[in-house]
Structures are given as structure tokens and as C-alpha cells.
């Protein structure tokens, strides 16, 4: 079978690669063509365009880059026509994918969606288009299945693929890891400032403003695969700050606490059982627009899944050095940390256990055979 997969950022690349591996177990003759990244490339097939070339953050940035986005949409449609896949699999990335899905359905292609657009967070009116354009939807968050049920659209909850990604990774030896990256024996505070240039600029300066206040800890920046060290270097002004690229899971596995930009990383940090503070500061125009259309009580996946405040969220103007220090003190307090661990274990239970990629691959291949 021929599979055309469209993922749009680092997390989509990760989940796309795991889905591809699972599809190969179901279909040994699987042929892949995709929009994704390095991890998907390692599995095999043909990369059309890397997500690094089209990572735009926020409404203002999207508007500024509209000509480039429309050019990519046109390229994608032409490429799908030339490839003529048995199925198109969309992974998150709703702004781009829903436009392609509308066209693809009109062209009679089979359309599957893995990891739902966040219609449960804003613009629920998009559900109408999803019901029209998507043949099968596979969701990874338990509350999303219930959300779609309200709109009489049956979707399948398959569990969260991060559980597989974390469980299947090679375990790191902490002593060897510290030695390899020139880390000392001090406890580690991990800094996860995001993956896009703009969000890293917004987040990292404030995160690093705390370094001198914690001489008994060492701060380690988790470098995103989409950015080179040269981009981070100007921010690093203390010998108590280290940088490690493309080793976020290994870093989290040996960290005492973490300061994390809102996104998938908040859930990853929770699954590694690391107490965290969730941070977010964006372009002010984008933030003002988002504030008016997003209907959620929380922004972090941890709190959304648990439906209560498990991790503290510092958003926009609340994200400053004073507030961040106050919350970091709390998550370093031994008496407070126990609460995190209990909630994190409950969170993992809600996510449904291992096997998300395998379940999704099986259902996709089964539907193609039918």
C-alpha cells in the first residue's frame, strides 16, 4: 500500500515515525511519502518537505508567511496527485492539514487523521468540516473522544504514543550521561524552551534569569532538533548553564525539576515524573487573539487531561523572573514534590497504556484491506 503522511513539527515527526514503523509490521510492502522530519526519514520512504522549513508560531507569524504557506499547499496537492496514495494520513498540524483534507476528500482520496486538531480548545465549528472530510479519526487524549461524541462523530481513542516512545527508548546510565556532557554532580534543572526560534527567544531569557539564584543546582538547556547551538549560544552567559542537543528524554530521565514551554513537552516531562513549571509567552497580538477564541481552563496537557491544576502555568505577563523563582522553589521542596508523583501516576493511567501506534496502524491497514 502507498501511504502519504503529513506531519508539521518535531512532535509530529516523532509520532509519524512510530506510526510508520508500526505500519511496516502490518504491511511489509508499505511505501511512504511524507512531510515530516529526520525521524520519519530514518524509517524510510521519500521526504517531500522538512517541518523546519514551515514552522510558524502564532497568528501574526502565519499571516506574515501566507504566500509561502499557499505555495506549500499547492505543492502538496500536486505531489499527492502524482503519488496517488491508497490513504492520506494527517498528523495534527491542523491549519495546513484541514485545507489539504478538504481538497483530498473532493478528489476521492481516503483520508485518515492521527492526533486530532485541537478543535476541543478553540473553533469547535471546525468539527463540521472534519466530519465531512475525514474518513477515520484516531485520537490520543481520552477527553477528545467524549468531545467528538457531543457532535455525533465517532472517533477512536488509541492511547497516547508518548507512552510507547518513552517506554521503548534505550535507558541512559546517569553517570555516563553526566560524564559525556561535562555535567557535575549537582542536581539538574532542565530547561525546555520550545522548538521554534521565536518561542525560544521569548522563553529562554526569563528561564536563565534564575541561574545565579540557585548555585547548588545546574541548569541544562534541552536543544531542539530544529535549531543549531549557534542560535542558543548568545543566551548562555554563566558557567552553570550547559546545553545538550537532541537528548531531551535522556536529560529528563536524570533531572530533578524542569521549566517547560507549554506544548507536548509538558506531557513528556510528566511521564518522566519530573516536577515542572509550565511557561508560555508569545507575540502579544497572537496572544490577544488566542485569548479570545480559546475556551480552555488550562493550556498544559497535564492539567487538561487531569481536569485540575497539577502543574503551575505561568502565562504571558505572569511569566517573569519573580513568579518563576517562587514556583521553582515549590517544586524543589521535598514535601511538595510528592504531590506531583501521585498525580503523574494517575495521569499515566488515564492515557491508556502502551500500543497507540500499533493500534492505529492496525486499524488503518485493516480499513484499507476492507
Amino acid at each position: 500500500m502507498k501511504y502519504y503522511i503529513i506531519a508539521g513539527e518535531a512532535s509530529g515527526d516523532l509520532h509519524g515515525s512510530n506510526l510508520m514503523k508500526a505500519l511496516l509490521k502490518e504491511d511489509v510492502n508499505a511505501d511512504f511519502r511524507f512531510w515530516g522530519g529526520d525521524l520519519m526519514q530514518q524509517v524510510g520512504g521519500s521526504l517531500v518537505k522538512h517541518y523546519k522549513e514551515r514552522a510558524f508560531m502564532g497568528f501574526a507569524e502565519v499571516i506574515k508567511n501566507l504566500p509561502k504557506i499557499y505555495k506549500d499547499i499547492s505543492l502538496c496537492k500536486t505531489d499527492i496527485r502524482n503519488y496517488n496514495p491508497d490513504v492520506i494520513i494527517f498528523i495534527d498540524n491542523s491549519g495546513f492539514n484541514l485545507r489539504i483534507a478538504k481538497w483530498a476528500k473532493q478528489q476521492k482520496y481516503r483520508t485518515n487523521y492521527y492526533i486530532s486538531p485541537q478543535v476541543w480548545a478553540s473553533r469547535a465549528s471546525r468539527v463540521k468540516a472534519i466530519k465531512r472530510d475525514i474518513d477515520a479519526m484516531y485520537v490520543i487524549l481520552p477527553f477528545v473522544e467524549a468531545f467528538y461524541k457531543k457532535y455525533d462523530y465517532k472517533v477512536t481513542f488509541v492511547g497516547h504514543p508518548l507512552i510507547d516512545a518513552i517506554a521503548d527508548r534505550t535507558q541512559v546510565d546517569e553517570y555516563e550521561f553526566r560524564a559525556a556532557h561535562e555535567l557535575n554532580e549537582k542536581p539538574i534543572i532542565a530547561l525546555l524552551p520550545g522548538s521554534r526560534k521565536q518561542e525560544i527567544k521569548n522563553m529562554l531569557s526569563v528561564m536563565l534569569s534564575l541561574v545565579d539564584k540557585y548555585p547548588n543546582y545546574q541548569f541544562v538547556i534541552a536543544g531542539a532538533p530544529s535549531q543549531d547551538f549557534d542560535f542558543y549560544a548568545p543566551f548562555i552567559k554563566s558557567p552553570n548553564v550547559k546545553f545538550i542537543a537532541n537528548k531531551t528524554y535522556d536529560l529528563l530521565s536524570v533531572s530533578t525539576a524542569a521549566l517547560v514551554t507549554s506544548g507536548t513537552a509538558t506531557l513528556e516531562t510528566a511521564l518522566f515524573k519530573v516536577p515542572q513549571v509550565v511557561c508560555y509567552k508569545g507575540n502579544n497580538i497572537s496572544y490577544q487573539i488566542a485569548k479570545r477564541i480559546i475556551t480552555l481552563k488550562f493550556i498544559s496537557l497535564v492539567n487538561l487531561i487531569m481536569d485540575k491544576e497539577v502543574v503551575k502555568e505561568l502565562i504571558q505577563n505572569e511569566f517573569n523572573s519573580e513568579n518563576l523563582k517562587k514556583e521553582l522553589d515549590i517544586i524543589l521542596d521535598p514535601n511538595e514534590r510528592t504531590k506531583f508523583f501521585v498525580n503523574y501516576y494517575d495521569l499515566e493511567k488515564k492515557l491508556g497504556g502502551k500500543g497507540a501506534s500499533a493500534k492505529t496502524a492496525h486499524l488503518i491497514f485493516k480499513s484499507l484491506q476492507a
Side-chain angles (χ1 to χ4, degrees):
M1 298 287 186
K2 295 166 72 176
Y3 303 85
Y4 198 97
I5 306 174
I6 309 175
E9 54 187 15
S11 61
D13 181 36
L14 170 65
H15 302 321
S17 67
N18 287 330
L19 179 62
M20 289 162 69
K21 291 173 189 174
L23 282 167
L24 282 169
K25 292 180 181 178
E26 296 282 341
D27 178 5
V28 293
N29 296 313
D31 185 83
F32 300 115
R33 191 166 178 85
F34 55 89
W35 295 54
D38 298 343
L39 297 175
M40 293 172 77
Q41 270 192 297
Q42 289 168 16
V43 179
S46 301
L47 174 67
V48 181
K49 198 156 192 177
H50 202 290
Y51 68 81
K52 290 181 186 178
E53 298 179 53
R54 54 194 198 94
F56 308 119
M57 177 188 171
F59 299 99
E61 291 72 35
V62 168
I63 290 169
K64 187 173 70 175
N65 286 281
L66 277 176
K68 186 175 181 181
I69 293 169
Y70 285 131
K71 188 176 179 181
D72 282 345
I73 289 172
S74 179
L75 167 64
C76 187
K77 291 176 181 178
T78 300
D79 197 61
I80 290 171
R81 253 195 228 103
N82 292 338
Y83 184 61
N84 194 28
D86 294 292
V87 62
I88 303 171
I89 303 171
F90 303 98
I91 300 178
D92 201 359
N93 192 33
S94 63
F96 188 87
N97 277 340
L98 289 178
R99 286 173 172 80
I100 299 297
K102 180 180 179 180
W103 168 85
K105 188 65 176 176
Q106 291 169 349
Q107 304 303 310
K108 311 298 184 186
Y109 289 107
R110 185 186 294 265
T111 55
N112 284 192
Y113 219 119
Y114 179 44
I115 307 178
S116 168
Q118 294 182 0
V119 289
W120 39 268
S122 66
R123 293 182 291 160
S125 58
R126 291 177 293 172
V127 174
K128 183 179 178 181
I130 289 171
K131 290 176 68 174
R132 179 192 66 213
D133 299 331
I134 302 300
D135 296 320
M137 171 74 75
Y138 306 103
V139 304
I140 63 172
L141 298 168
F143 63 82
V144 176
E145 186 177 33
F147 167 85
Y148 276 115
K149 190 174 183 180
K150 292 189 297 184
Y151 293 89
D152 195 31
Y153 183 50
K154 182 172 173 51
V155 303
T156 305
F157 172 57
V158 292
H160 205 292
L162 278 180
I163 293 178
D164 290 338
I166 291 171
D168 295 342
R169 59 182 281 277
T170 303
Q171 299 298 309
V172 65
D173 179 281
E174 182 171 354
Y175 177 81
E176 292 178 0
F177 180 80
R178 286 176 180 264
H181 298 286
E182 300 179 352
L183 303 179
N184 57 39
E185 73 287 349
K186 293 179 184 178
I188 294 169
I189 297 173
L191 306 182
L192 280 64
S195 59
R196 300 180 181 95
K197 279 187 167 67
Q198 185 181 343
E199 66 183 350
I200 294 169
K201 286 179 182 177
N202 290 340
M203 311 307 300
L204 198 50
S205 294
V206 179
M207 291 178 175
L208 290 174
S209 70
L210 302 188
V211 172
D212 293 340
K213 297 178 174 64
Y214 295 89
N216 295 325
Y217 294 84
Q218 58 189 320
F219 290 73
V220 183
I221 300 169
S226 55
Q227 307 298 340
D228 297 325
F229 173 70
D230 289 347
F231 177 72
Y232 295 89
F235 296 94
I236 302 173
K237 298 172 182 175
S238 167
N240 201 31
V241 179
K242 299 292 184 181
F243 174 87
I244 300 177
N246 303 329
K247 298 283 184 183
T248 301
Y249 283 8
D250 291 349
L251 174 60
L252 286 173
S253 73
V254 299
S255 293
T256 295
L259 308 180
V260 187
T261 297
S262 178
T264 305
T266 63
L267 185 55
E268 292 171 315
T269 302
L271 291 173
F272 275 99
K273 311 298 186 293
V274 180
Q276 64 182 297
V277 181
V278 175
C279 313
Y280 180 79
K281 187 169 187 177
N283 173 286
N284 192 53
I285 295 173
S286 298
Y287 173 72
Q288 292 301 327
I289 295 171
K291 191 167 72 168
R292 284 159 175 76
I293 66 172
I294 292 175
T295 57
L296 301 172
K297 290 187 293 183
F298 305 110
I299 64 168
S300 73
L301 284 172
V302 176
N303 291 343
L304 286 168
I305 294 165
M306 294 296 288
D307 196 28
K308 65 179 182 179
E309 187 182 77
V310 172
V311 295
K312 182 65 178 180
E313 300 176 353
L314 297 178
I315 305 170
Q316 208 65 4
N317 293 332
E318 291 183 355
F319 176 59
N320 56 54
S321 298
E322 183 180 355
N323 287 341
L324 193 57
K325 182 182 185 305
K326 175 185 171 184
E327 297 304 327
L328 181 54
D329 286 341
I330 291 172
I331 67 174
L332 292 174
D333 182 335
N335 294 322
E336 294 290 333
R337 292 168 63 80
T338 305
K339 300 174 187 175
F340 285 92
F341 302 137
V342 172
N343 282 316
Y344 283 167
Y345 280 111
D346 289 343
L347 169 75
E348 193 164 348
K349 286 180 187 175
K350 284 195 171 191
L351 289 175
K354 291 179 64 177
S357 301
K359 289 173 195 170
T360 306
H362 176 72
L363 290 168
I364 290 173
F365 184 58
K366 185 178 176 183
S367 71
L368 290 177
Q369 289 179 308

